Amino acid sequence: MSVRRNPWTFIRGVSPALLTAVLISSSSATLPLTIRCCEEKNNIDRRITRFMLPIGTNVNVDGTTLYEVVAAVFIVHLNSVHLDLSQMITVG
C-alpha cells in the first residue's frame, strides 16, 4: 500500500464519519463508522484501524476532560473565588 495519497480523496472517504461526528458531537459514537470508512473506502489495514482509532478516540475524550477542568477553574477565578488545594483536587 502506498503512503502517498491525495488528502482530498482520503477526506472524501471518511466524510460520512466526519459528518456524523459533527452532527452528534461524539467521537465515541462515530468510532464504528470511522473504522468502516477507513477499512472499506480508504483501504487501510484492519490491524491499524482496530488499534489506532480507539486510542485516538480515548485521547480525544481525555483532552475534553482536561479542558472542562481548566475551564471550571478559570471561571472560578474570574468570579474572584479562591480555591484551596483540596478543592482544586476535587475539581480535578
Side-chain angles (χ1 to χ4, degrees):
M1 180 173 87
S2 173
V3 177
R4 295 180 161 263
R5 299 172 92 172
N6 184 345
W8 298 112
T9 305
F10 182 82
I11 291 171
R12 194 175 327 118
V14 293
S15 62
L18 292 173
L19 181 63
T20 304
V22 168
L23 291 176
I24 64 173
S25 299
S26 174
S27 57
S28 297
T30 61
L31 182 60
L33 181 59
T34 305
I35 290 173
R36 189 171 12 157
C37 287
C38 287
E39 290 175 0
E40 293 175 5
K41 294 184 179 183
N42 287 328
N43 299 321
I44 298 175
D45 188 3
R46 183 177 193 269
R47 296 173 296 175
I48 294 171
T49 59
R50 301 295 167 117
F51 180 70
M52 291 306 299
L53 291 175
I55 291 174
T57 300
N58 194 21
V59 169
N60 183 30
V61 171
D62 292 343
T64 302
T65 303
L66 290 173
Y67 167 76
E68 289 174 359
V69 170
V70 171
V73 172
F74 178 73
I75 292 168
V76 166
H77 282 279
L78 278 180
N79 291 311
S80 301
V81 176
H82 178 72
L83 297 178
D84 61 13
L85 182 61
S86 66
Q87 290 170 324
M88 291 283 275
I89 292 172
T90 301
V91 170

